[in-house]
Each structure stands twice: as C-alpha cells, then as structure tokens.
Amino acid sequence: GAVVSQHPSRVICKSGTSVKIECRSLDFQATTMFWYRQFPKQSLMLMATSNEGSKATYEQGVEKDKFLINHASLTLSTLTVTSAHPEDSSFYICSASRPGFSNQPQHFGDGTRLSIL
Amino acid sequence: SQKIEQNSEALNIQEGKTATLTCNYTNYSPAYLQWYRQDPGRGPVFLLLIRENEKEKRKERLKVTFDTTLKQSLFHITASQPADSATYLCALDPSYNQGGKLIFGQGTELSVKP
C-alpha cells in the first residue's frame, strides 16, 4: 500500500487564492521530505527540501514567499501556494524516504493537480 | 552545465520484445542512480537503484546497467507486456550521497503494443 499520502488530489480555484497541500508519511518518520512540480510532458523539477523543525531549503529560482513549506511533525509536510495565479497551475508531488542511509529510494505521493482559473 | 538526458522520443515496441531505455548525464558524479515508473496522473514509483560500484542490477524482468566512464545507465525490460506501458524516469542525487534529493531526467514514454 501507499507509504506517502498526499491531499488533496485535485484543486480548482480562482486566481489570488492560497492553496495548501499536505504530504504525510504513513508508516515511517520522515525528517526530510521533498516537493516537486511537474508540467505536462515534462520531468519532475525539485522545488524545495522540507526539513522537520527547521526552515525549508529552496532550489534556485523558487520563490520561498510564494511557496510556503511547513514541516511541523515527523510525518507531515505542507506546501502552501500563496496568491496562486494561472501560471502556478501544475502537478505538485511530494516524496519522502525511510530513515537510514541517504541513498534510500524516494516514496512519492500521488500528486496534487492544481488548476488556477 | 549539468544535464540528465533520456531518450526524448517515445518508444513503441511489440509485446514480448525487450525495451531498452537510455539515461545519460553530464557534469555529475553520482554515487548511485535510480529508475522510476510514472503512470499518467500518478506519482513516480521506485523500480531499481544501482550504485557506482555496481555494473548491473536485476529485478525480475528488469535490468539496469551503470557505466560511470560513459556516464550512462541503460534500463531494460525483457519480455515486455502492455502493462509495462508508462513513462520511465532516471534520477540521481547531485550532491553525492547527501540528503537524498533527486534530479530527474525528462522521462521516456514506453508503449508496448499487443
């Protein structure tokens, strides 16, 4: 079964709305989670690393004030797209790996399809 | 610049044949490389991980090779089935075994015809 759960799976909202996406690790504690964005027919682009109990690390070109990340517990990270606009419409996916060696495979959520009208 | 590139064209093969997908990288020295499968509208699913000191890794009908001299990984699906149709992504950790974040290739869409 799924080890990483993402919610909601789909969001349609008006421009200017803020949208929160949740990512939960279901059967392990994840001190680190990752957030990706994927446009149609393109690959996953890493947006940020979510660190439990500390600030997220953002990739170059990703606005930290636009994409707020909170990792308040060992099983939950949230991504909030603030004041979303049509260009933010995309497929957002989170991932986590089991504790242990850093070369563990990532377990991905099933993504959130965000559509901004 | 750093790049990960996969077969840009979609791959169409007949059921029962072997599918071979290519992943080339430039200006990275990864400790390992991973392959994932992604179905439309879903998150990627992990398939195989191969380390830099491993030449080949197998799992059922899947085989991955890793050539650090050529900076290339090949992903093979033998006795392919229509259910193998999906997009396959290669990925590596750019920071050499630190942190676990992954950089992905653009993926190769595989279609297996009955």
Side-chain angles (χ1 to χ4, degrees), chain B residues 28-47:
Chain B
Y28 287 112
S29 296
Y32 58 92
L33 196 142
Q34 302 184 20
W35 284 87
Y36 290 80
R37 168 183 173 141
Q38 186 176 25
D39 290 286
R42 307 294 297 274
V45 174
F46 172 75
L47 296 175

Side-chain angles (χ1 to χ4, degrees), chain A residues 5-12 19-23 35-38 79 88-94 109-115, chain B residues 41-43:
Chain A
S5 172
Q6 198 169 332
H7 179 80
S9 59
R10 186 173 183 96
V11 180
I12 302 172
V19 178
K20 180 186 281 188
I21 303 169
E22 293 186 348
C23 180
W35 286 97
Y36 295 82
R37 181 167 53 180
Q38 186 176 34
L79 168 69
D88 298 321
S89 298
S90 188
F91 192 49
Y92 292 86
I93 312 175
C94 69
D110 259 344
T112 297
R113 175 75 57 195
L114 177 61
S115 301
Chain B
R42 307 294 297 274

